[in-house]
C-alpha cells in the first residue's frame, strides 16, 4: 500500500509543552484543522525558521510561527488593540492627578493588563496601539525600526507650494533635525488648511513643533495610522482588537 504523504514524519520535532501544529494554527484563527493540515502539507508553514511537517508540534508561547511568510501570533495571552484616543485624554493607563486616562475607556473589557505603545499629547487625538507584547512594543517605538506614522493636521494657512520640499529636506529643531517621509495638502478652509504628513519620528510633540517652526501652528492633530494599522472609522473613545493579518503586518514593519 502506498504511503500517505500526509502522515506524520518520523523525525518530526517535539517541543516541550507543545501541541500539534495544526491545532495551534486553528486556535489562532488560521482555519479549520483540516485546512491547517493542508497548509503544513503544502510547506507554507515554518516553525522557528524550519519548514514544518505534518506531525510537528509547537508551543505558541515560545515558538515563532510563520504562514506564507507572515508572522503568526498564536499565543492567546497576548493582546493587541487599536484605540481612537479622544482629545483631552492623557496617554497614560491611569493618571495620579485624576485626569481622564486610557483605562477609563478600557475598564474590565480586557482581562490582561495592556500598555500604550508610544504617546499622543492630551490635545491630540487618533490612533493608539495597546498591547502586553513588550518585545513588539519596544520595536514599534524604537527609532531604528523607522515605523511610519501618519498625521492629519489642521494648521494656519495659506500653505506655500514649496513647504513639502522644505519638510522633506529637513528642518532644524532645538533637539536636532527632522525630515518628513511625505507631505500633502488635503484641503483648504479659508485661513486654515488640512495637511497630511508621514514620518517615523517619535520625539515629544514632534509634529506640532515641526509645523510651528515652519510657520504653520497646529490647531488640531489626528494620528491616522501607525505602520500598517489604520484608524479607519473607529469611533472616538472606542477600541478594537487587531486582526491576525494586522498583527502580522506590525511584525513585518519591524522586520520580523
Amino acid at each position: 500500500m502506498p504511503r500517505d504523504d500526509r502522515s506524520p514524519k518520523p523525525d518530526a520535532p517535539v517541543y516541550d509543552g507543545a501541541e500539534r501544529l495544526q491545532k495551534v494554527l486553528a486556535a489562532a484563527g488560521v482555519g479549520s484543522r483540516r485546512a491547517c493540515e493542508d497548509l503544513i502539507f503544502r510547506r507554507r508553514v515554518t516553525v522557528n525558521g524550519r519548514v514544518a511537517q505534518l506531525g510537528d508540534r509547537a508551543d505558541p508561547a515560545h515558538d515563532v510561527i510563520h504562514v506564507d511568510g507572515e508572522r503568526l501570533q498564536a499565543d492567546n495571552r497576548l493582546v493587541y488593540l487599536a484605540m481612537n484616543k479622544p482629545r483631552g485624554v492623557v496617554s497614560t493607563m491611569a493618571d495620579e492627578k485624576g485626569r481622564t486616562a486610557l483605562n477609563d475607556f478600557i475598564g474590565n473589557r480586557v482581562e490582561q493588563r495592556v500598555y500604550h505603545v508610544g504617546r499622543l499629547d492630551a490635545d491630540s487625538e487618533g490612533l493608539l496601539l495597546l498591547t502586553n507584547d513588550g518585545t513588539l512594543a519596544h520595536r514599534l517605538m524604537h527609532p531604528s525600526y523607522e515605523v511610519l506614522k501618519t498625521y492629519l493636521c489642521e494648521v494656519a494657512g495659506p500653505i506655500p507650494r514649496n513647504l513639502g520640499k522644505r519638510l522633506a529636506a529637513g528642518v532644524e529643531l532645538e533637539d536636532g533635525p527632522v525630515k518628513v517621509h511625505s507631505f500633502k495638502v488635503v484641503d483648504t478652509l479659508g485661513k486654515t488648511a488640512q495637511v497630511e504628513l508621514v514620518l517615523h519620528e517619535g520625539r515629544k510633540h514632534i509634529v506640532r513643533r515641526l509645523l510651528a517652526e515652519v510657520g504653520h501652528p497646529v490647531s488640531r492633530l489626528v494620528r491616522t495610522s501607525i505602520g500598517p494599522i489604520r484608524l479607519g472609522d473607529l469611533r472616538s473613545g472606542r477600541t478594537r482588537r487587531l486582526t491576525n493579518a494586522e498583527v502580522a503586518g506590525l511584525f513585518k514593519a519591524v522586520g520580523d
Side-chain angles (χ1 to χ4, degrees):
M1 180 179 295
R3 177 175 175 173
D4 182 358
D5 286 337
R6 293 175 179 260
S7 61
K9 301 294 186 293
D11 59 347
V14 178
Y15 304 91
D16 292 339
E19 299 180 294
R20 286 190 175 275
L21 182 55
Q22 61 265 37
K23 182 179 179 181
V24 173
L25 297 177
V30 174
S32 67
R33 289 198 191 182
R34 181 61 178 172
C36 293
E37 288 177 355
D38 190 61
L39 288 172
I40 298 168
F41 175 73
R42 296 178 184 278
R43 302 173 61 85
R44 293 167 60 184
V45 182
T46 63
V47 179
N48 300 327
R50 172 188 176 275
V51 176
Q53 302 178 60
L54 286 167
D56 284 1
R57 301 170 72 84
D59 182 348
H62 299 100
D63 292 323
V64 177
I65 302 171
H66 286 78
V67 179
D68 290 336
E70 291 193 344
R71 172 78 174 265
L72 175 69
Q73 185 47 263
D75 188 349
N76 58 18
R77 298 172 302 175
L78 295 178
V79 177
Y80 305 88
L81 302 173
M83 177 182 182
N84 186 347
K85 186 191 86 67
R87 190 171 187 172
V89 175
V90 294
S91 290
T92 57
M93 300 312 297
D95 184 64
E96 59 184 14
K97 297 180 180 180
R99 294 173 295 181
T100 304
L102 304 178
N103 267 337
D104 295 319
F105 297 88
I106 298 174
N108 298 321
R109 287 178 289 173
V110 179
E111 293 182 3
Q112 296 87 341
R113 188 176 183 182
V114 296
Y115 304 89
H116 51 92
V117 180
R119 294 175 180 271
L120 282 172
D121 64 71
D123 289 332
S124 299
E125 56 197 289
L127 183 62
L128 266 180
L129 300 180
L130 303 105
T131 184
N132 57 353
D133 187 337
T135 301
L136 179 61
H138 170 74
R139 293 182 179 184
L140 289 171
M141 289 186 290
H142 200 283
S144 65
Y145 290 96
E146 298 189 348
V147 177
L148 297 176
K149 305 171 186 69
T150 304
Y151 300 87
L152 184 65
C153 304
E154 187 173 292
V155 300
I159 305 298
R161 291 185 177 181
N162 67 341
L163 182 59
K165 290 183 178 180
R166 182 180 176 188
L167 294 174
V171 175
E172 189 70 35
L173 301 179
E174 66 273 13
D175 54 352
V178 57
K179 296 180 181 180
V180 303
H181 183 76
S182 67
F183 173 87
K184 68 178 180 180
V185 177
V186 177
D187 199 4
T188 55
L189 308 165
K191 295 183 179 180
T192 64
Q194 284 189 345
V195 299
E196 180 187 89
L197 64 160
V198 181
L199 69 166
H200 67 263
E201 287 275 4
R203 283 178 275 169
K204 188 175 182 179
H205 305 310
I206 188 68
V207 176
R208 292 181 182 275
R209 291 192 291 128
L210 171 62
L211 291 173
E213 180 67 23
V214 295
H216 302 280
V218 175
S219 56
R220 186 185 180 193
L221 184 152
V222 182
R223 183 158 62 196
T224 59
S225 72
I226 300 173
I229 311 304
R230 299 188 178 280
L231 182 63
D233 58 1
L234 185 63
R235 294 173 58 186
S236 181
R238 297 294 182 89
T239 61
R240 67 172 180 85
R241 289 183 180 265
L242 299 186
T243 65
N244 286 338
E246 287 176 318
V247 175
L250 287 175
F251 279 110
K252 187 175 182 179
V254 298
D256 192 346

